[in-house]
Amino acid sequence: MAVSAPHPHPSNQRDQLNQPNTRNAAAPALTVRDAVIDFARRVGMTSIFANPGSTELPMFRDFPADFRYVLGLQEAVVVGMADGYAQASGRAALVNLHSAAGVGNAMGNIFTAFRNRTPLVITAGQQARSILPFDPFLAATQATELPRPYVKWSIEPARAQDVPLAIARAWAIAMQEPRGPVFVSIPVDDWDQPAERVPERVLAHVTRPDPQTLAQIGARLDACERPAFVVGGAVDRAGAVEDVVRLAERHRARVYVAPMTGRCSFPETHRLFAGFLPAMRERIVEILDGHDLVFALGAPAFTYHVEGQGPHVPHGAELCQLIDDPGTAAWTPQGVAAVGNVRLGVLDLLDRPAPRERALPAPRAVPPRALPPAADERMSVAYALQTLGEARSAADIVVEEAPSARPVMQTYLPIERAGGFLTMDSGGLGYGMPAAVGAALAKPGERVIALIGDGSSMYSIQAIWSAVQQRLPITFVILNNTRYAALQDFAPVFGFGPGDPVQGTDLPGLDFVALAAGMGCSGVRVSAAGELSEALQRALAAGGPALVEVLVA
């Protein structure tokens, strides 16, 4: 006969239920927020550039003490700051935007980040999953489509539990060459859901160019008589500037900067430096005439701004290319193209036996000094930039967004070191002022000079407020010529005659000193050439941000 166990007393049942089960106790469950913060910490994305909305707030509850929240007052400013930070630091930056409206506001600088090849992990809020079928307020319809095609990858994870792995994948894609921005849309109710920690893993972000293709380029370099190097931003991104200098010196090559290049990839005071190529096919061929080999390093061959005709390189010249972007190599019109990390490719070329000696090419002509203006005239841009060049330190970082002044800057404000210059590869305005803030955050203790046109500055002038709040050593130099000069200068290409008005290009009545003061930044307006040097020196010595508005012809 079976004997049943005695039925427990109800009070004993309650006691048993209240006792901790030490044998089966599990560690507290991780949430999606915990797992994302843990992964971001491991890969160094501890500065979050953001402008918050309601659907993003849960991401920042219990904000970790070792993270930094960098507030921008408009989403384009947020992305611009993150871009400058990522380029200056060499690491991916984490961006948080509001759903559709915020991403839309940011699109101009997302486009620039894509052209700059800047690694950004951009997150944006989304409405709660449970109400998405009802087209709720602030929901992003087809959220992943909005930033395309100017992100490398875009996703809204199918489940909350997939968010941490989506962030990890986004980071890996952003950092793989060619680098660039990626996008993750995250529903607001995902952050508190349970999730697992992202496993540890090791990923290679660079690839070595094909040895056989490099051997072909090396043989052509050895055999040519008058080589020209054309360098682009990927040289500086890869940390290859010093190696390219060695390669140019070995082959006695003249070195030109590729059109629309956003970084310094060769010291502009070097004996072999030959100048900057314009974004015009015929002019490029004219400038490179006489060279029998053109080697594009870390640059497209070539970026054009207006329609052109004829050959892409001078008659009788071969074209070679070393680039980190297979897409760029695919449309290169002719020649030999090696794809992979630029520094690894250059090191392999340097490992070849030394070539025969060549004569040094003639040095670049020294530009004449810019003269001060007459008493009744405004100073020229050349004089203003020459004065800035004499007042600044060669160690300062220059972030530029003054398109009409860029050719003058390239003459009178030479950049001498890797990492010493940033601008936009895209041509889109609104990048320079926030990028200066990001660069200063990435390089604490280094002076940043934001050289900005009056028209350009108004696209993202809110960045001054972020610079003040972060107490950053940024000198904002505003070149005020009261117009969109680049458009007026470009108008003859499209049929405007001398003196023809160009509608929408005059900018009277802007007071940049007053605008800066309203955001807590000291400033001074300079109209007299004799006062400029002292004003710049004071601003460059300031402990925090300062603005100098320069009235130029």
Side-chain angles (χ1 to χ4, degrees):
M1 183 175 76
V3 179
S4 61
H7 191 75
H9 191 278
S11 63
N12 291 336
Q13 281 186 310
R14 285 197 301 271
D15 289 343
Q16 291 172 11
L17 289 172
N18 290 332
Q19 293 299 314
N21 185 348
T22 56
R23 184 176 60 187
N24 296 322
L30 286 177
T31 64
V32 169
R33 183 192 306 104
D34 297 331
V36 168
I37 291 295
D38 172 72
F39 175 79
R41 180 182 289 118
R42 279 187 272 148
V43 297
M45 292 195 301
T46 57
S47 291
I48 301 177
F49 298 85
N51 181 270
S54 56
T55 53
E56 292 75 46
L57 290 176
M59 180 180 180
F60 303 115
R61 196 170 63 245
D62 302 322
F63 193 73
D66 59 327
F67 277 56
R68 172 172 58 185
Y69 188 102
V70 183
L71 175 61
L73 299 185
Q74 205 262 8
E75 291 87 352
V77 174
V78 168
V79 175
M81 291 192 301
D83 187 310
Y85 180 88
Q87 290 206 65
S89 68
R91 301 191 304 271
L94 183 57
V95 178
N96 184 247
L97 304 175
H98 194 29
S99 50
V103 178
N105 286 340
M107 275 306 302
N109 274 338
I110 292 175
F111 168 64
T112 291
F114 185 77
R115 295 299 187 199
N116 286 352
R117 303 292 191 241
T118 304
L120 301 181
V121 177
I122 302 170
T123 62
Q126 173 64 294
Q127 265 289 9
R129 292 178 185 272
S130 61
I131 59 171
L132 283 177
F134 305 107
D135 196 14
F137 185 65
L138 294 179
T141 304
Q142 296 181 331
T144 61
E145 298 302 312
L146 179 55
R148 288 176 173 157
Y150 298 117
V151 291
K152 292 180 67 179
W153 186 62
S154 184
I155 190 173
E156 185 174 281
R159 305 178 306 155
Q161 291 79 6
D162 300 328
V163 170
L165 281 174
I167 296 289
R169 181 177 177 185
W171 172 82
I173 293 172
M175 288 294 291
Q176 287 166 354
E177 291 185 336
R179 295 178 173 184
V182 294
F183 179 80
V184 184
S185 172
I186 306 173
V188 66
D189 51 343
D190 282 5
W191 291 104
D192 293 319
Q193 297 300 311
E196 296 181 356
R197 186 175 188 265
V198 176
E200 301 284 350
R201 54 183 178 165
V202 177
L203 294 174
H205 300 308
V206 300
T207 57
R208 200 170 209 104
D210 173 56
Q212 293 182 343
T213 307
L214 281 178
Q216 293 184 49
I217 293 174
R220 285 165 168 77
L221 273 174
D222 293 343
C224 71
E225 296 291 337
R226 297 172 303 281
F229 287 5
V230 178
V231 297
V235 172
D236 192 29
R237 286 197 299 272
V241 173
E242 292 183 4
D243 306 298
V244 170
V245 169
R246 290 166 54 207
L247 191 66
E249 291 173 344
R250 167 180 282 201
H251 289 281
R252 303 287 180 93
R254 277 198 176 102
V255 181
Y256 301 84
V257 175
M260 304 303 182
T261 292
R263 301 177 71 135
C264 175
S265 290
F266 198 85
E268 295 168 18
T269 53
H270 192 281
R271 168 70 171 71
L272 292 172
F273 183 69
F276 298 82
L277 297 180
M280 302 173 67
R281 185 190 303 191
E282 294 88 347
R283 284 286 293 131
I284 290 172
V285 171
E286 179 185 343
I287 292 169
L288 296 178
D289 188 37
H291 294 287
D292 57 350
L293 183 135
V294 177
F295 186 19
L297 291 119
F302 299 96
T303 299
Y304 303 126
H305 189 191
V306 294
E307 184 181 10
Q309 295 179 347
H312 296 274
V313 294
H315 177 72
E318 292 188 279
L319 177 63
C320 297
Q321 183 180 49
L322 173 59
I323 189 71
D324 60 358
D325 184 357
T328 299
W331 62 253
T332 300
Q334 64 192 74
V336 180
V339 178
N341 179 260
V342 172
R343 184 165 189 263
L344 294 179
V346 171
L347 291 176
D348 285 347
L349 290 172
L350 285 168
D351 280 343
R352 293 172 57 85
R356 59 188 168 79
E357 282 288 327
R358 297 185 181 93
L360 272 171
R364 187 186 187 205
V366 177
R369 286 187 60 79
L371 299 176
D376 58 344
E377 295 178 343
R378 282 191 180 187
M379 73 185 89
S380 66
V381 173
Y383 183 83
L385 294 184
Q386 176 179 277
T387 305
L388 175 60
E390 293 168 350
R392 60 132 186 187
S393 165
D396 294 340
I397 300 170
V398 176
V399 181
E400 175 265 328
E401 191 177 297
S404 64
R406 189 171 301 156
V408 183
M409 181 201 73
Q410 291 166 347
T411 300
Y412 290 98
L413 193 67
I415 308 299
E416 301 180 34
R417 68 180 185 93
F421 178 72
L422 292 176
T423 189
M424 69 288 189
D425 283 8
S426 67
L429 300 181
Y431 166 81
M433 295 188 89
V437 174
L441 286 168
K443 298 289 186 180
E446 296 191 29
R447 168 67 53 178
V448 175
I449 299 170
L451 180 63
I452 313 293
D454 53 342
S456 299
S457 67
M458 294 306 298
Y459 284 75
S460 295
I461 201 161
Q462 305 96 323
I464 293 176
W465 181 88
S466 297
V468 170
Q469 298 304 308
Q470 299 290 335
R471 298 181 176 86
L472 298 173
I474 302 175
T475 302
F476 295 99
V477 179
I478 309 296
L479 299 176
N480 187 353
N481 55 19
T482 66
R483 63 192 183 114
Y484 288 129
L487 292 177
Q488 293 183 3
D489 295 346
F490 205 59
V493 176
F494 295 103
F496 285 77
D500 286 352
V502 183
Q503 298 302 316
T505 57
D506 291 325
L507 300 173
L510 291 172
D511 187 339
F512 293 96
V513 174
L515 289 167
M519 290 179 275
C521 177
S522 63
V524 62
R525 172 180 283 189
V526 179
S527 58
E531 299 173 0
L532 180 59
S533 179
E534 183 180 352
L536 288 171
Q537 290 177 33
R538 284 199 306 268
L540 290 166
L547 181 141
V548 181
E549 178 184 356
V550 187
L551 300 182
V552 293

